[in-house]
Amino acid sequence: MTAVLVALGASACAASRQPPACTRPDLGGCAIEDVSFDGTQVIRGDELAERIATAESSHLLGGALEPVPILSIWDALTVEYERFDRFVLERDLARIERYYRARGFYDARVRAARVRRTGGPGKEGRVRVRIVVSEGAPVKIASVDLAWRDWTLERGKDVTGPATEARNALRIGERLDEARYEEIKKRLLRVLTDRGFAYASVEGHVAVDLVKHEARVRYTIELGPECTFGEIKLEGLGELPEGPLRTAIGIKEGDRFSTEALAEAEQALADFGVFGAVAVKPELAPDGQPRAPVVPVTFSLEPAALRAVRLGGGAEIGSRVEAHLVAGWEDRNFLGGLRRFSIEGRPGLVFYPTEFSTLFSEAPERVLPEIQLRSELRQPAAFERRTTAVLRGAFNLYCRQAGRCTAANEAPSRQGGPGSPGQAGEETPRSGQASDDLILGYREYVGSIGLERPFLKSDLKVALLYNVQLNSPFAYRGSLAPEARSLFIPYLQALVSYDRRRNRAGKPDSVTPHHGFYVAMDAQMAGYLRADTLLAGALTERLVDARDIRLQPEFRGYLPVARRVTLAFRLLTGVLLPSNYDPYCGDDAGDASERCHDRLDEALQLMQFRGFFSGGATSNRGYGFNEVGPHGHVPSLTGERGAEVPIGGRLLWETSLELRLRLGESFGTAIFADAGDVTRELSLFRDPGPQRIHLSAGVGLRYETPVGPLRLDVGYRVPCMQVLGVCDVEDVDAFRDENPGKLFGVAPVAVNLAIGEAF
């Protein structure tokens, strides 16, 4: 009954949002169904549509759901109708001609603007607008000259070459473009002010021959006096210490004036994360006054809140169901010196083994406590002004989210390869084994120390860290096997990222990018640089250590397709090169040596932390968390043969393609396709056997929040495209590496709810 009332309410709301009928003779107030352009050959129609006020109504998925029963309610609830106004259209036609002129088409004219009612039932209150344009021949650049008013050989030796290079960026023969012309003017001015000429000016003049469709460009440059920095003033410090800020600015009185140095100083202050606003003002002499060669600079600062307490909570419903609290404290001027210290605790409860697909059909067997404790201390200006020293520590107690934590009461025999993933064989229970299933957890201790530094206006970031990780298994229920050992993983880590992601306004934005790219590399070397004293004596007998090289590069690209449409692409790979453990030593070559068996269990346990995994909300969205890739048993933890869990692989590849459509200010949608695999071999393609690409496709909804878009994605595993040539994935022999879950046990679908875009 409740569902019926909700549906009726939604239908009534949807009905109230239907556009009114077109009754006025001039069609004013009618909903605009479509705006199109004819005659556009060089300038695209969507480029013109971004610059006029007459816009078409915005429908979810472009109106594809409008004629679909039931789903049409969804379309009606999210549609944003645009109303036709003939006076607005008249001004838009003038805007189009002015825009064409700015792009070099001085002969461009808008020949006609046709407004017609649309046909079809239910669309009587809508109109289509068609604008017919005649572009004409473009004006091209015939020459670009520089004229100097006060140039001398001594004063101009540092600027002549860079100024000529900047001028040459405006090429002869290309179409005249006002934006490009102004860009070169700003570039020339920046060349001068970066090299000490604070009062420099650049004037531009364009002579257009409409008969020949040619333009002659001239930039006139005045250098002014050579300048140095004067007094550096800091205003609005409040309780913040002045010394570290001056060190980060890196400008001293008497240095040659440079706008580049000022921009770097402004970015260095912003990187502290303690200011709500930073303004830099060189105190130049007013027009008409003598130009002083010594230029004082004032940094006006607005400190943000230096201390904050965070309290909150949350929940997760997906491959597991959990609820948690969050409490944290941060001080951005800890003990003075702009040190930044933060600590956060996250206690939670996991309702085991319930997940999204069994939320209403399977009651939890047990409630498992979890806790995450993290702290970080950041010391700015370590060694030099823009290098930050970082010290981190963490303690986690958790059930590892890689398949179920339970191991069944059944032990493998040594015949057929113990714990070898995907191998069949007779199994015999070990004597003295506990009858209860084990629920396995880990106590994890992590410490990190290192250095971080930004480059290239903070777009390029480099970090070098030394990490020590200790993982100790324990039993939530049951008892561990005698073979279970703790893991000791010391590793050197280098993180490099170059971020050129920008939003629609052209500003840096890693949350909702519209264009640009992001490149990153995570390189780790484990076990080679370690403190041997930590593994000395009897402690060595209780620890398993890893020695390997782990590389994970990533590329993300964003292409603006239209005003509200972004095409996003991601490619991620990973390679693991272990040297003191081999998780598949007896699997492919048939190696049944005792040494292989002795090390196999430990290697499988190490792979839980060093191997690659795939599947989940930020990976392949047609699968649950870590469902893609090799599965097997990890008997060293339990002495039993339990349920198969993801054991990780040596090589990972993932790729995603996503079309993001923005619907109004708060809502959006996405259509995506994900693919990838995790292999045991160091090869992108498996040999032998059918190849696995795990292709998933789906749709998602987005809702903008202050911390990023709230994202709901539904991914569907495309039939016959999981294992190439195999359409029945229930065939265990062909699909034994993966055991993907089904939504409510029926549909090959995964549902993901998260904050932030997938990439």
Side-chain angles (χ1 to χ4, degrees), residues 14 29 92 114 127 170 175-176 189 212 226 247 296 324 339 362 471 501 566 600 603 640 666:
D92 284 338
R114 302 174 183 139
V127 296
L170 197 62
R175 175 165 43 88
L176 177 65
L189 183 61
K212 296 182 179 180
E226 293 186 67
T247 301
H324 62 268
R339 298 177 186 88
E362 181 179 347
N471 292 87
R501 291 174 289 185
T566 305
L600 180 58
E640 305 163 350
S666 299

Side-chain angles (χ1 to χ4, degrees), residues 534-573:
L534 296 176
L535 293 176
L539 189 60
T540 307
E541 300 178 359
R542 300 193 299 271
L543 294 178
V544 177
D545 67 312
R547 188 175 300 126
D548 59 48
I549 294 176
R550 192 177 191 271
L551 305 174
Q552 186 167 317
E554 181 179 10
F555 172 80
R556 306 177 187 180
Y558 305 88
L559 179 66
V561 178
R563 178 176 53 178
R564 295 188 175 185
V565 182
T566 305
L567 182 65
F569 172 76
R570 181 186 66 145
L571 178 62
L572 173 70
T573 62

Side-chain angles (χ1 to χ4, degrees), residues 205-373:
H205 177 73
V206 181
V208 178
D209 187 332
L210 295 179
V211 177
K212 296 182 179 180
H213 290 89
E214 291 181 350
R216 299 188 179 275
V217 180
R218 177 183 292 269
Y219 294 104
T220 304
I221 298 173
E222 182 178 355
L223 294 174
E226 293 186 67
C227 301
T228 59
F229 284 113
E231 181 183 3
I232 307 300
K233 304 175 185 178
L234 300 178
E235 296 181 349
L237 287 178
E239 64 177 281
L240 295 176
E242 185 174 335
L245 297 177
R246 288 192 176 274
T247 301
I249 290 173
I251 298 174
K252 297 180 180 179
E253 189 172 346
D255 291 347
R256 186 171 74 165
F257 182 89
S258 170
T259 49
E260 182 180 7
L262 292 177
E264 290 181 356
E266 183 179 6
Q267 184 62 55
L269 293 176
D271 287 343
F272 279 109
V274 298
F275 299 112
V278 178
V280 183
K281 182 182 179 182
E283 298 179 9
L284 301 175
D287 292 339
Q289 299 293 326
R291 298 178 176 181
V294 178
V295 181
V297 178
T298 300
F299 289 85
S300 299
L301 310 173
E302 295 183 12
L306 298 180
R307 296 166 188 87
V309 175
R310 295 189 297 273
L311 294 173
E316 175 185 343
I317 302 177
S319 56
R320 67 175 188 167
V321 176
E322 64 91 22
H324 62 268
L325 300 175
V326 178
W329 177 74
E330 182 181 37
D331 189 339
R332 300 184 184 184
N333 190 30
F334 182 67
L335 301 177
L338 286 174
R339 298 177 186 88
R340 190 166 182 170
F341 177 74
S342 63
I343 185 169
E344 181 180 275
R346 176 174 160 164
L349 297 174
V350 178
F351 301 92
Y352 182 82
T354 307
E355 55 188 35
F356 181 83
S357 61
T358 61
L359 187 61
F360 303 106
S361 61
E362 181 179 347
E365 298 176 3
R366 196 178 182 98
V367 178
L368 308 179
E370 287 190 342
I371 188 169
Q372 297 178 10
L373 295 175

Side-chain angles (χ1 to χ4, degrees), residues 49 70 86 130 274-275 400 492 600 646 672:
I70 305 300
R86 67 183 182 91
R130 183 176 296 274
V274 298
F275 299 112
R400 182 162 180 79
L492 185 67
L600 180 58
F672 63 85

Side-chain angles (χ1 to χ4, degrees), residues 1-10:
M1 183 63 180
T2 302
V4 174
L5 293 176
V6 170
L8 291 175

Side-chain angles (χ1 to χ4, degrees), residues 414-453:
R414 287 297 188 188
Q415 298 177 356
S420 299
Q423 290 190 5
E426 296 297 328
E427 301 170 1
T428 58
R430 293 181 181 177
S431 60
Q433 207 57 251
S435 59
D436 292 335
D437 290 345
L438 174 75
I439 300 181
L440 174 70
Y442 273 99
R443 299 183 186 92
E444 183 175 81
Y445 309 84
V446 181
S448 301
I449 186 170
L451 301 173
E452 297 179 355
R453 196 191 193 285

